[in-house]
Amino acid sequence: MSALEPRISVPAAAPPPPGGVLGAAYRALSIGIISVVFLIAFEATAVGTAMPVAARDLDGVGLYAFAFSAYFTTSLFGMVLSGQWADRQGPLRPLTVGIGAFAAGLVCSGTAQVMGVFVLGRAVQGFGGGLVIVALYVVVSRAYEERLRPAIMAAFAASWVVPSIVGPLAAGSVTEHLGWRWVFLGIPALVVVPLVVALPAIRRTASGPVDPGAPAAFDRRRIRFAFGISLGAGLLQYAAQDLRWLSLLPGAAGVALLLPAVRGLMPRGTYLARRGLPSVVLLRGVAGGAFIGAESFVPLMLVTQRGLSPTLAGFSLALGGLTWAVGSWVQSKGRMAPYRERLMVIGMVMVALAIAAAPAVLIESVPVWTVALAWAVGCLGMGLVIGPTSVLLLELSAPEEAGANSASLQISDALANVVLLAAVGAAFVALGGGAVGAGHSLTEGAATASHPGAFLAVFLPMSVVALAGAWVATRLDPKS
């Protein structure tokens, strides 16, 4: 990837239209793309509720983890392909193909009669999701003037609030009364509507290549790297889930595929935390990986160690959706721009403190609402960090490289999730965490076998990673 000059934005060919993201000039586009994000967020938060029932019904509990990882690994490939496609031909085609693949994957999983077909549907869905998310970033970089980008990114973050609160409850109700298949089959038709609303505006403001004279062919080297990073991530995840000596082979193969692919797809100096764009991309991965690596174990800890029902354990995280939106809103205000990087440092410190505080509930005398309070603080910190990384990336990207750099940002996020979840998952199992629910129903609301060390092996390292992210956040300004 070529070196980028700082603070480059898309040049305006005409005076900027008045109003905000919901003004007359942007209303259809904003409503359409925000609705797409909302529906994808709703599906992402709802599917986890239906997944255990689906796996049991399809006699595929042994492939349960792959129903999640299949989505994740194919989305990595979709992100890189979408960046290439959007830079060369505009974001319209990858967006429409991505929505189609996302919907087709949902239908495939929702109609599956065996677990193998279900996992295949999740893989197709992940590929489509990867295409969509990067294409949307390119739409933002090309259709919105620079002053409006923080607001639309904040709207994207806010689109996750209602799904994070309502999604699991709605999915549980649908699964109980209509069946788990409708959690998958109910979304495809709804996704088409906002896309139709946004298409005319996307075609008018963001279609076609930035440079019509640039080569139209895809960069085959980056495509090979994309395939390598997807396959490598899948092998690494498989190895971490199967702790045997033989698992070293797929683990080593995964690392061998990942290392050159990561170096080829990330901005030069990303993992050295060089100032500017490389640190922006690195921070996105560090923040997302640390947070998701810890959050994935919070409900399990509350259910198995403190005896909460799964529903109550899930609701303990619900307040976080609201505080995340508050953090995004604060960072979206124009008057906060001079303090953006400082707020991002504070946000990462808040995330580190929240992760470190969560396992306090392993002590019986500590009330369980402590986790809800800590996670609300952590989500506020994430709101201060995640949206601004997207804004900074677009500011530091030349127009013709917005797609490739947006793909790098999303890959950093997704890859950190894979690697850190694999690491803490392996540590959790090695310290006896795999036995916390053995022989007990996790819906009974009774605490099962106690393995506090296994949970500490998850939360304490992730808090250290988040604290390292606070240092990375001090290196975002290329001119400092």
Side-chain angles (χ1 to χ4, degrees):
M1 186 170 296
S2 61
L4 301 175
E5 296 182 1
R7 310 289 176 182
I8 296 177
S9 59
V10 180
V21 295
L22 292 179
Y26 295 104
R27 188 177 299 127
L29 176 62
S30 297
I31 291 175
I33 63 177
I34 291 171
S35 298
V36 169
V37 173
F38 176 87
L39 290 170
I40 290 177
F42 188 88
E43 192 279 336
T45 55
V47 70
T49 303
M51 196 75 78
V53 180
R56 185 183 60 194
D57 189 39
L58 297 174
D59 195 24
V61 175
L63 295 176
Y64 181 80
F66 289 100
F68 291 97
S69 61
Y71 181 101
F72 207 53
T73 54
T74 55
S75 69
L76 286 168
F77 181 77
M79 290 170 188
V80 178
L81 180 62
S82 184
Q84 292 269 301
W85 202 348
D87 283 342
R88 282 156 176 75
Q89 300 180 18
L92 186 59
R93 289 183 180 177
L95 182 60
T96 52
V97 171
I99 290 291
F102 187 83
L106 285 168
V107 172
C108 182
S109 293
T111 57
Q113 301 301 313
V114 295
M115 193 63 176
V117 176
F118 183 89
V119 171
L120 175 63
R122 291 287 291 164
V124 174
Q125 185 188 346
F127 175 70
L131 288 175
V132 169
I133 190 63
V134 172
L136 286 178
Y137 272 64
V138 177
V139 169
V140 170
S141 74
R142 295 175 61 177
Y144 292 85
E145 55 185 294
E146 189 171 330
R147 69 179 178 87
L148 294 178
R149 292 175 191 166
I152 194 66
M153 290 301 178
F156 281 1
S159 297
W160 284 79
V161 175
V162 174
S164 67
I165 298 172
V166 178
L169 182 62
S173 179
V174 170
T175 299
E176 181 179 349
H177 295 99
L178 298 177
W180 64 266
R181 296 182 185 277
W182 286 103
V183 175
F184 294 87
L185 296 176
I187 297 293
L190 297 177
V191 175
V192 174
V193 177
L195 183 63
V196 170
V197 171
L199 276 180
I202 296 174
R203 186 177 291 111
R204 184 177 65 254
T205 60
S207 62
V210 174
D211 180 5
F218 283 29
D219 185 340
R220 294 184 180 181
R221 179 171 173 269
R222 287 183 64 85
I223 299 299
R224 287 197 301 270
F225 281 147
F227 181 76
I229 205 171
S230 297
L231 181 58
L235 289 172
L236 197 62
Q237 211 167 25
Y238 172 79
Q241 292 168 357
D242 186 22
L243 293 179
R244 296 181 301 168
W245 285 109
L246 286 176
S247 298
L248 292 175
L249 294 176
V255 171
L257 287 169
L258 279 175
L259 289 179
V262 167
R263 292 189 61 177
L265 293 172
M266 298 294 179
R268 188 182 299 274
T270 294
Y271 291 105
L272 296 176
R274 290 183 180 168
R275 291 190 176 275
L277 182 65
S279 286
V280 172
V281 172
L282 177 61
L283 178 61
R284 182 60 166 261
V286 170
F291 185 82
I292 296 300
E295 186 182 54
S296 300
F297 286 85
V298 170
L300 184 64
M301 179 174 65
L302 292 176
V303 169
T304 62
Q305 308 302 293
R306 294 301 298 266
L308 268 66
S309 69
T311 300
L312 286 177
F315 275 127
S316 70
L317 306 178
L319 181 61
L322 296 174
T323 57
W324 191 313
V326 170
S328 298
W329 176 80
V330 168
Q331 281 280 35
S332 72
K333 309 306 289 182
R335 63 179 177 273
M336 304 305 293
Y339 312 104
R340 181 188 290 154
E341 285 82 3
R342 191 179 306 171
L343 286 172
M344 295 172 78
V345 174
I346 294 172
M348 287 309 304
V349 172
M350 294 170 70
V351 173
L353 292 175
I355 295 174
V361 296
L362 294 169
I363 303 171
E364 285 291 333
S365 59
V366 175
V368 292
W369 54 258
T370 302
V371 170
L373 180 60
W375 224 248
V377 171
C379 287
L380 177 61
M382 288 294 286
L384 293 173
V385 173
I386 296 300
T389 59
S390 305
V391 175
L392 283 171
L393 177 118
L394 295 178
E395 289 182 3
L396 295 168
S397 297
E400 67 274 8
E401 293 184 327
N405 290 343
S406 296
S408 295
L409 190 75
Q410 299 299 325
I411 289 168
S412 178
D413 194 350
L415 185 60
N417 287 343
V418 171
V419 173
L420 292 178
L421 274 171
V424 297
F428 181 76
V429 172
L431 291 176
V436 294
H440 300 269
S441 170
L442 295 183
T443 61
E444 292 173 353
T448 62
S450 179
H451 291 272
F455 288 100
L456 289 175
V458 171
F459 288 95
L460 296 186
M462 291 301 96
S463 67
V464 173
V465 172
L467 199 58
W471 173 76
V472 176
T474 65
R475 303 179 60 79
L476 303 180
D477 189 343
K479 295 183 289 187
S480 297

